[in-house]
Amino acid sequence: MQNEFEQWKEESRNFSEPYGKTFDNRPRFDIEPGHSAEKPALRRIASPIEISETYLDFMRNNRALDALVDLLGPNLKFENAKINSKQPGAATQVKYHQDFLFEPHTNDDMITVLFFIDDVTEENGPLEVVPGTHKGPLHEHWHNGVFTGAVSDQIASEMKTQAIPCYGPAGSACLMHTRILHGSAPNLSDKPRTLFICEYTAEDSYPLQANHIPSAYMYEIVRGKSTGRVCCSEYEMAFPEVPEGASFFEQQAKSN
C-alpha cells in the first residue's frame, strides 16, 4: 500500500491541478496549493479502491471489520474510501467537524476506520478527537449561508482544549464514530502522514442524500448479509452541500 501511494505521488509531479476522474466525474487526485514537480503535495485520492486491487482487497478484508461486528452488529456494508496524505511541511489542516454532517443516514451506526500507512507522530499532524462528542449534539456546519464543512470557530476553540491526539506506527488503525468531533493540524515534520480511510455502516443504515465519495463498490455488503430492513434514529440536521470539487478541503477553505 505504501509502494502504490508512492507511485501515485510520483505521478502527481506531472500535474499542476487536480486530475483523474471518479465515479461521479470529479477529479480523483487532489493536490495541495503550492504543489510542484519539485515538491509534490498529493493530499487526497478519492476511492483508491477503484484503481487498486491492493486497496480494494484490504477494504473488504481487514481486522478492523471484526471489531466493527462487535460494535455495530453482524451485518455491515461499505460506504466510501479515500486516502488523505500530508507530505512533509504540508500546510493543509483539517478543521474540526463531524462526519455525519456530510452524510445523513437513517441512523448513525457508522464508523470511519483510519488505517495508518505511515507512522503517525505528534509532529506530522495526527488525528485529534474529542472524547464523548459522539454522544453529544450535532453542530452546524453551515455558516452565513455557506457550507464550510466545519463547526464554528467558537465551538472549535472550546473543543480543542478537550481533544486528544491519536498516534501509532504504520499498520495501526483508529476507529471513529461518525458523530465524534475531530480535526488535525498541519504536518510540521520531515516525515509524511498518510491514511487510508474507509467508512462502514450497519447494514440497516441507509443514505438520505448522495454519497459524497461515490464508487462502484458503495453499499457492498462486507460482513454478514442483506436483511431488507431499515433502522431509523432521531436527529435533525441541515442537508450538506454535495461537493463539486476534488475534495472537502475546498469546502473547508470557504470558512477562511
Side-chain angles (χ1 to χ4, degrees), residues 7 10 42 56 77 83 86 88 100 105 109 119 135 137-138 144 161 170-171 180 182 189 215 231 235 238 241:
Q7 292 173 19
E10 287 301 306
L42 179 62
L56 176 60
K77 61 188 177 186
I83 294 175
K86 297 180 183 179
F100 199 43
H105 277 60
D109 284 341
D119 295 343
K135 297 180 179 180
L138 295 172
N144 298 318
T161 62
I180 201 162
H182 64 285
S189 76
S215 76
C231 178
Y235 70 90
E241 176 186 67

Side-chain angles (χ1 to χ4, degrees), residues 98 133 135-139 179:
Q98 295 167 292
T133 51
K135 297 180 179 180
L138 295 172
H139 297 281
R179 293 173 68 124

